[in-house]
């Protein structure tokens, strides 16, 4: 079948010289960099979101080919399908939510060992509510010169939810996956405003709606706007372009970005199964090299390449949304209410601030949130958090790839963390509720939250017990 | 000559041309012109009216992706799809060229390096998707025919088998393809281990088998009916001549039942084509169905137009397939009407 098809497509290669809409790509033939690549034909999966950009750029700019890799990039139906296909080997690797490799490794959902050596980006999400909810929130939002003061806290949403409760109506919100960054960001934002987002109690209860004021459920990203329009949910947390799409279509209003919830938070990672990483170490290294180069290209010279990147992403093969919709956030602005366009140069960060380095402290933050909401429903020691982070996050592979790039003159040592990097960022203070996060003390961090599990607490039969 | 031509056009269903042939051979021009007007003028007029109505109503319906595209917008999208196809082909050519150069380099430095020529890793174009869908439907339909015809003959010849299989046929016939799909997907995943060199993709097999399961029944039922309703005189002649089983089937049963079998196959192919698009959409298997779903997911301002192009493509291909089967049916029914 395949041979037959190739034969056919070659026969069809009667190419007319069409004026190319995409920039003409010319790159030098392969200069094999990594020696002994075990597997040259690879298939990577992604979900139609702006932050899959490093994969698209590495392909379109020929970085994969220059590393001697023949890569196919394929859109997947949803996060679960994507993860399952990486685990069963149909895909060699994929664009994943930071929580997915961690969740899979600790066995929340599908149990399998998945590792990551490359963090794909920072920020890039937002919380959007329907027009109707926004109208009800607005009186509670502080204003200056007739414009809302940002960041908008969930305190403004609380009266709306209380009213829903009084009327006996459920307040539904959408997020993209139980272990998604969006789920934890939305919960963080809601809880910081005194709204209970609900607990999980695995293995019996994996809905995460125990004791909830706002009921969160899973909706695939591309369907968010239409689900909001249908009234099934009143708000959602999702990556781009699906927040700006809501503004363009006039069906919702983004109220807060994740940059405001936690400044420069890690968002997506490039995940592969542990068996794959062990079996093809050189291939893995080559892939990481290509991805680092793509990330550098995306952030090069003050984002000058972003318009070209947006053009590539708007191709139906990748994200496929309109150029103007993707460009909105990729080129440093973000539109909240229609017409309220604000400058957010760091809404999408692909390389600056060591965005691509897999920090242990980032992994541990996600684990603390899994513990906070009961996805990890028992006490774990600080050492356990450390151990899981080291199992899943592989800065050693990242640094090996960085060293090769430096040796080849494609990057400068100053682009990467120094050799003495511990993998822990200094205590981070820029959260929307002002709580300080120190990755070396996860249990102490958990005690700082008024809403959430801490110490020895567990959720049993819908109640929190000590 | 003209009679032969007329017969050919009648069999192939191209009856539009019959009056022209008659005109050329000088038969009553006034009557022929009326015929032409009836056969070509009326459908053409109806189509123009349809386009007009579509233009007017489409502009008034506003969805979240903008207004519903009218005929001109759809025509324009068809153009961009063609343009995309050429662009992608050009990228493919450059891809092969780069590969050739790098393989030469590899061979120069290491004579026994792995220099397989890899197929293009870019996206399948719209025409690739059409081809994939057609290929899938023919594979599924062929398997269905290969299974259904012998079973149908058996059912037709043997009342015991017929009554035995009847309940099963009645139960499975109305099952929607979408119900089969998850089962087929799981079974294929379990039994068929594919690697890079295997002939078929899992997704392709899943689609093809789903098509088979749904398009089996019309052929099976029609074959049964055709075989069981053979003129008893013919069967008796076979008995008198003491023909063996194989000769009976070849000389008596098949020729008599052929018109029925082809009618069944025509229905089967129609069902198969319809089922395939749904299966591709749901399972995200390559083909026109996936194209429609991807465009829906993209949600760009030209998505609706592209989906409309796909709708027309699916319709026209379905129509052509039906015509081909009808011609075959006419050719094999020896002038008898069923």
């Amino acid at each position: 079948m395949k041979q037959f098809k190739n034969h056919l497509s070659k026969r069809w290669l009667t190419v007319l010289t069409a004026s190319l809409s995409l920039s003409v790509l010319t790159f030098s033939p392969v200069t094999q960099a990594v020696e002994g690549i075990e597997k040259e034909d690879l298939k990577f999966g992604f979900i139609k979101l702006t932050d899959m950009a490093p994969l698209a750029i590495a392909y379109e700019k020929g970085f994969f080919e220059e590393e001697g890799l023949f890569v196919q990039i394929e859109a997947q139906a949803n996060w679960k399908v994507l993860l399952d296909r990486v685990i069963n080997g149909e895909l060699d690797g994929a664009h994943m939510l930071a929580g997915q490799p961690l969740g899979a490794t600790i066995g929340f959902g599908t149990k399998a060992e998945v590792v990551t050596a490359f963090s794909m980006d920072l920020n890039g999400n937002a919380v959007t509510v329907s027009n109707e909810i926004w109208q009800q929130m607005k009186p509670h939002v502080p204003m200056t010169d007739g414009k809302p003061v940002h960041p908008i806290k969930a305190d403004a949403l609380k009266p709306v939810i209380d009213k829903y409760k009084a009327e006996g109506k459920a307040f539904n919100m959408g997020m993209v996956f139980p272990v998604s960054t969006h789920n934890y960001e939305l919960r963080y934002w809601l809880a910081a405003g005194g709204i209970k987002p609900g607990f999980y109690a695995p293995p019996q209860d994996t809905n995460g709606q125990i004791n909830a004021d706002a009921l969160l459920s899973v909706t695939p990203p591309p369907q968010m706007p239409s689900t909001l329009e249908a009234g099934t949910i009143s708000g959602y947390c999702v990556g781009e372009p699906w927040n700006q799409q809501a503004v363009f279509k006039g069906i919702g209003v983004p109220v807060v970005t994740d940059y405001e919830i936690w400044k420069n938070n890690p968002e997506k990672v490039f995940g592969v199964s542990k068996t794959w990483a062990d079996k093809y170490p050189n291939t893995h290294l080559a892939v990481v090299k290509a991805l680092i180069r793509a990330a550098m290209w995306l952030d090069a010279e003050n984002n000058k390449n972003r318009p070209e990147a947006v053009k590539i992403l708007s191709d139906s093969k990748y994200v496929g949304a309109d150029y103007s919709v993707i460009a909105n956030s990729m080129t440093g602005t973000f539109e909240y209410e229609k017409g309220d366009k604000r400058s957010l140069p760091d809404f999408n960060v692909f390389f600056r601030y060591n965005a691509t380095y897999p920090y242990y402290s980032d992994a541990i933050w996600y684990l603390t949130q899994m513990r906070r909401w009961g996805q990890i429903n028992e006490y774990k020691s600080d050492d356990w958090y450390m151990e899981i982070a080291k199992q899943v996050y592989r800065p050693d592979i990242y640094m090996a790839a960085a060293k090769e790039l430096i040796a080849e003159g494609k990057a400068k040592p100053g682009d990467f963390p120094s050799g003495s990097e511990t993998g822990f960022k200094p205590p981070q203070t820029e959260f929307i509720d002002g709580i300080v996060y120190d990755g070396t003390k996860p249990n102490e961090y958990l005690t700082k939250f008024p809403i959430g599990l801490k110490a020895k607490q567990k959720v049993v039969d819908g109640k929190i017990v000590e | 000559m003209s009679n032969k031509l007329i017969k050919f056009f009648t069999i192939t269903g191209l009856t539009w041309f019959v009056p022209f042939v008659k005109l050329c051979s000088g038969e009553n021009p006034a009557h022929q012109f009326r015929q032409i007007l009836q056969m070509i003028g009326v459908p053409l007029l109806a189509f123009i009216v349809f386009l007009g109505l579509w233009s007017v109503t489409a502009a008034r319906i506003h969805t979240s992706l903008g207004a519903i595209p009218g005929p001109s917008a759809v025509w324009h999208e068809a153009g961009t799809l063609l343009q995309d196809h050429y662009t992608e082909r050009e990228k493919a050519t450059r891809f092969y060229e780069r590969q050739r150069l790098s393989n030469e380099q590899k061979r120069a430095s290491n004579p026994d390096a792995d220099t397989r020529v890899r197929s293009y890793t870019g996206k399948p174009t719209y025409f690739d998707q059409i081809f994939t869908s057609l290929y899938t439907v023919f594979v599924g339909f062929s398997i269905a025919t290969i299974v259904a015809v012998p079973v149908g003959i058996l059912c037709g010849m043997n009342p015991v088998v017929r009554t035995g299989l009847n309940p099963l046929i009645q139960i499975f016939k109305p099952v929607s393809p979408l119900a089969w799909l998850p089962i087929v997907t799981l079974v294929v995943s379990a039994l068929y281990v594919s690697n890079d060199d295997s002939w078929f993709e899992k997704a392709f097999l899943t689609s093809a088998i789903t098509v088979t399961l749904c398009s089996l029944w019309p052929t099976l039922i029609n074959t049964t009916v055709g075989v069981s309703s053979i003129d008893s005189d013919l069967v008796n002649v076979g008995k008198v001549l003491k023909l063996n089983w194989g000769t009976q089937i070849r000389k008596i049963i098949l020729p008599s039942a052929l018109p029925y079998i082809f009618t069944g196959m025509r229905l089967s192919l129609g069902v198969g084509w319809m089922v395939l698009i749904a299966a591709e959409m749901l399972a995200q298997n390559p083909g026109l169905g996936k194209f429609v779903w991807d465009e829906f997911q993209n949600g760009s301002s030209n998505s609706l137009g592209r989906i409309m192009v796909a709708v027309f493509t699916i319709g026209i291909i379905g129509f052509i397939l039906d015509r081909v089967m009808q011609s075959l049916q006419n050719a094999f029914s020896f002038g008898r009407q069923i």
Side-chain angles (χ1 to χ4, degrees):
Chain A
M1 167 72 198
K2 275 190 186 164
Q3 290 85 328
F4 174 47
K5 246 191 171 159
N6 293 347
H7 172 69
L8 198 109
S9 47
K10 283 208 190 84
R11 247 192 33 210
W12 280 18
L13 283 178
T14 49
V15 174
L16 302 186
T17 42
S19 59
L20 279 185
S21 52
L22 285 173
S23 58
V24 176
L25 306 169
T26 45
F27 24 87
S28 56
V30 180
T31 45
Q32 187 90 3
V34 178
E35 284 304 316
I37 289 192
E38 307 89 345
K39 189 176 183 199
E40 295 182 345
D41 302 279
L42 304 169
K43 196 183 227 179
F44 296 148
F46 72 94
I47 297 287
K48 287 182 176 275
L49 291 164
T50 307
D51 52 25
M52 61 74 65
L55 283 171
I57 300 303
Y59 178 87
E60 294 290 339
K61 289 279 146 199
F63 298 144
F64 281 135
E65 275 183 50
E66 285 177 37
E67 296 297 337
L69 305 167
F70 297 93
V71 176
Q72 266 184 302
I73 304 178
E74 198 183 62
Q76 305 297 310
N78 58 52
W79 290 115
K80 184 175 182 333
V81 169
L82 174 138
L83 183 64
D84 288 347
R85 295 185 77 190
V86 169
I87 291 167
N88 72 19
E90 277 179 81
L91 294 171
D92 295 292
H95 156 236
M96 285 186 190
L97 297 153
Q100 278 186 302
L102 294 161
T105 303
I106 64 171
F108 183 79
T110 320
K111 170 109 183 79
E113 286 197 277
V114 180
V115 300
T116 175
F118 179 85
S119 182
M120 282 178 92
D121 63 326
L122 303 179
N123 314 320
N125 301 332
V127 178
T128 295
V129 296
S130 68
N131 293 332
E132 184 196 347
I133 300 292
W134 174 240
Q135 289 312 328
Q136 297 176 31
M137 271 175 79
K138 232 175 160 172
H140 309 285
V141 177
M143 296 275 187
T144 48
D145 314 330
K147 277 195 170 177
V149 178
H150 281 259
I152 295 174
K153 295 192 171 177
D155 304 25
L157 181 64
K158 194 163 170 46
V160 181
I161 292 189
D162 290 341
K163 189 167 140 271
Y164 263 72
K165 255 188 147 164
E167 292 167 4
K169 283 193 289 188
F171 187 86
N172 295 312
M173 293 186 93
M175 47 84 183
V176 306
F177 203 63
V179 295
S180 67
T181 44
H182 318 79
N183 186 16
Y184 305 124
E185 283 157 7
L186 182 55
R187 282 164 185 272
Y188 198 101
W189 181 72
L190 290 169
I195 299 162
K196 292 207 268 311
F199 291 102
Y200 293 82
Q204 301 80 14
D205 187 315
T206 51
N207 292 328
Q209 299 184 343
I210 300 171
N211 293 342
D213 299 333
L215 303 174
L216 273 52
S217 57
V218 172
T219 309
Q223 269 131 42
M224 286 284 188
S226 45
T227 315
L228 184 75
E229 202 175 10
T232 317
I233 51 177
S234 308
Y236 56 72
C237 179
V238 71
E240 274 309 299
W242 309 110
N243 297 293
Q244 294 299 283
Q245 191 85 300
V247 181
F248 269 71
K249 293 180 177 179
I251 56 179
V253 178
V255 288
V256 65
T257 63
D258 62 344
Y259 179 80
E260 297 159 313
I261 298 171
W262 173 21
K263 185 174 164 185
N264 290 340
N265 63 84
E267 169 57 33
K268 297 283 188 312
V269 296
F270 179 77
V272 298
S273 74
K274 188 168 181 304
T275 34
W276 188 93
D278 293 343
K279 200 169 159 190
Y280 308 116
N282 295 341
T283 311
H284 197 184
L285 196 65
V287 172
V288 174
K289 277 174 71 182
L291 289 173
I292 292 176
R293 288 184 64 197
M296 286 171 77
W297 183 89
L298 277 160
D299 276 5
E301 295 168 53
N302 223 341
N303 296 357
K304 83 167 169 64
N305 294 328
R306 291 286 179 94
E308 189 187 334
V310 174
K311 200 171 191 84
I312 290 171
L313 288 179
S314 62
D315 186 321
S316 61
K317 172 185 171 183
Y318 299 121
V319 183
D322 285 356
Y323 180 91
S324 52
V325 175
I326 302 176
N328 232 6
S329 66
M330 275 286 271
T331 49
T333 57
F334 193 80
E335 192 167 2
Y336 292 90
E337 218 178 345
K338 202 151 192 95
D340 184 5
K341 210 169 189 175
R342 307 199 182 196
S343 160
L344 258 183
D346 284 343
F347 185 80
N348 280 111
V349 174
F350 291 100
F351 192 71
R352 311 185 269 281
Y353 321 129
N354 296 332
T356 50
Y357 184 89
Y359 281 98
Y360 293 140
S361 54
D362 292 344
I364 290 173
W365 188 82
Y366 283 111
L367 290 167
T368 61
Q369 298 306 300
M370 290 178 189
R371 172 72 190 115
R372 182 182 178 186
W373 303 118
Q375 291 178 338
I376 300 170
N377 202 8
E378 55 188 5
Y379 170 79
K380 299 283 185 189
S381 67
D382 285 2
D383 293 345
W384 178 88
Y385 287 95
M386 190 63 229
E387 212 172 298
I388 297 290
K390 283 197 165 155
Q391 248 182 46
V392 178
Y393 276 48
R394 300 291 303 276
D396 53 318
I397 297 172
Y398 177 91
M399 287 312 280
K403 281 199 182 77
E404 285 208 10
L405 287 175
I406 295 166
E408 290 162 22
K410 287 171 183 153
K412 295 188 295 295
D415 294 336
F416 304 105
S418 68
S420 60
E421 175 62 60
T422 57
F424 284 89
K425 290 179 182 168
Q428 292 162 69
T429 53
E430 295 179 276
F431 285 86
I432 196 163
D433 53 3
I435 291 176
V436 179
Y437 167 63
D438 178 353
T440 56
K441 302 173 187 144
N443 277 305
E444 187 199 316
Y445 177 57
L446 283 167
T447 59
K448 297 177 186 171
F449 294 113
I451 301 177
L453 300 180
K454 39 192 127 346
K456 308 269 182 197
Q457 289 178 340
K458 280 162 83 158
V459 179
V460 180
D461 299 333
K463 282 187 276 299
I464 298 176
V465 293
E466 288 294 329
Chain B
M1 173 67 205
S2 72
N3 277 345
K4 268 190 186 157
L5 264 177
I6 288 170
K7 194 177 169 192
F8 169 77
F9 284 135
T10 319
I11 280 184
T12 50
L14 300 169
T15 42
W16 284 20
F17 298 105
V18 173
F20 288 105
V21 177
K22 286 185 175 169
L23 249 182
C24 295
S25 60
E27 282 180 50
N28 180 3
H31 177 70
Q32 296 314 328
F33 272 120
R34 243 201 327 276
Q35 283 282 329
I36 289 175
L37 218 83
Q38 253 185 19
M39 280 181 145
I40 300 177
V42 173
L44 216 59
L45 199 71
F47 195 70
I48 289 166
V49 170
F50 162 73
L51 286 182
L53 279 175
W54 174 18
S55 289
V56 173
T57 47
R60 293 174 186 213
I61 303 173
H62 285 277
T63 67
S64 54
L65 293 181
I68 298 256
S72 60
V74 171
W75 184 247
H76 171 77
E77 278 315 321
T80 46
L81 281 172
L82 190 68
Q83 188 62 50
D84 279 359
H85 171 77
Y86 290 133
T87 312
E88 200 61 31
R89 283 287 177 263
E90 205 160 316
K91 279 169 88 174
T93 325
R94 282 204 298 275
F95 173 88
Y96 286 116
E97 182 57 23
R98 283 199 303 275
Q99 216 180 152
R100 200 180 52 79
L101 286 171
S102 80
N103 279 346
E104 274 174 16
Q105 275 187 356
K106 272 193 209 168
R107 268 194 294 271
S109 60
N110 174 11
D112 42 358
D114 172 21
T115 51
R116 278 178 301 156
V117 174
R118 292 185 164 73
S119 55
Y120 180 53
T121 54
K123 71 168 172 194
T125 66
Y126 189 62
F127 296 92
D128 294 338
Q129 302 283 41
I130 293 176
F131 172 76
T132 309
S133 281
L134 278 173
Y135 184 78
T136 316
V137 86
F138 273 110
V139 170
F141 171 69
S142 308
I143 299 172
T145 309
I146 290 166
V147 173
V149 171
V151 175
I153 291 175
L154 199 70
C155 283
M157 289 171 72
N158 189 331
V160 178
V161 177
R162 186 162 59 225
T163 38
L165 286 182
N166 195 29
L168 285 180
I169 294 172
Q170 297 302 341
I171 289 170
F172 286 137
K173 189 170 62 106
V175 175
S176 152
L178 308 182
W180 285 116
L181 196 63
I183 299 169
V184 174
T185 309
L186 289 173
V187 171
V188 168
S189 300
L191 298 182
Y192 183 73
V193 181
S194 65
N195 55 31
D196 291 346
D197 310 324
S198 45
W199 268 64
F200 300 113
E201 299 264 353
K202 270 184 189 172
F204 165 78
L205 268 188
T206 313
S207 304
I209 292 171
T210 309
V211 169
T212 302
L213 281 172
C214 291
S215 63
L216 193 72
W217 315 109
T219 309
L220 179 55
I221 291 165
N222 268 292
T223 310
T224 309
V225 171
V227 174
S228 59
S229 60
I230 293 174
D231 200 338
S232 54
D233 291 351
L234 289 173
V235 181
N236 290 338
V237 166
K239 280 183 183 157
V240 168
L241 295 176
K242 294 202 171 133
L243 295 176
N244 63 18
W245 220 67
T247 321
Q248 253 196 56
I249 288 182
R250 229 180 29 250
K251 295 278 181 195
I252 296 174
I253 290 173
L254 267 183
S256 332
L258 260 187
Y260 286 92
I261 293 176
F262 272 102
T263 309
M265 280 166 72
R266 183 180 162 193
L267 290 170
S268 282
L269 191 58
V271 170
W273 182 241
M274 211 147 61
V275 163
L276 175 72
I277 305 295
E280 283 170 350
M281 244 171 138
L282 197 73
Q284 295 282 294
N285 293 341
L288 277 172
K290 182 170 164 56
F291 171 85
V292 170
W293 192 246
D294 279 350
E295 281 301 337
F296 173 62
Q297 296 274 38
N298 286 347
S300 74
S301 50
N302 56 14
S303 286
L304 272 179
R306 287 172 172 231
I307 292 173
M308 292 260 193
V309 175
V311 166
F312 279 101
T313 311
I314 293 165
I316 290 166
I317 290 175
F319 171 63
I320 292 171
L321 290 179
D322 192 59
R323 264 298 137 113
V324 170
M325 288 309 290
Q326 197 188 0
S327 310
L328 280 175
Q329 191 190 323
N330 288 342
F332 284 100
S333 54
F334 317 112
R336 278 187 302 168
Q337 286 300 317
I338 298 170

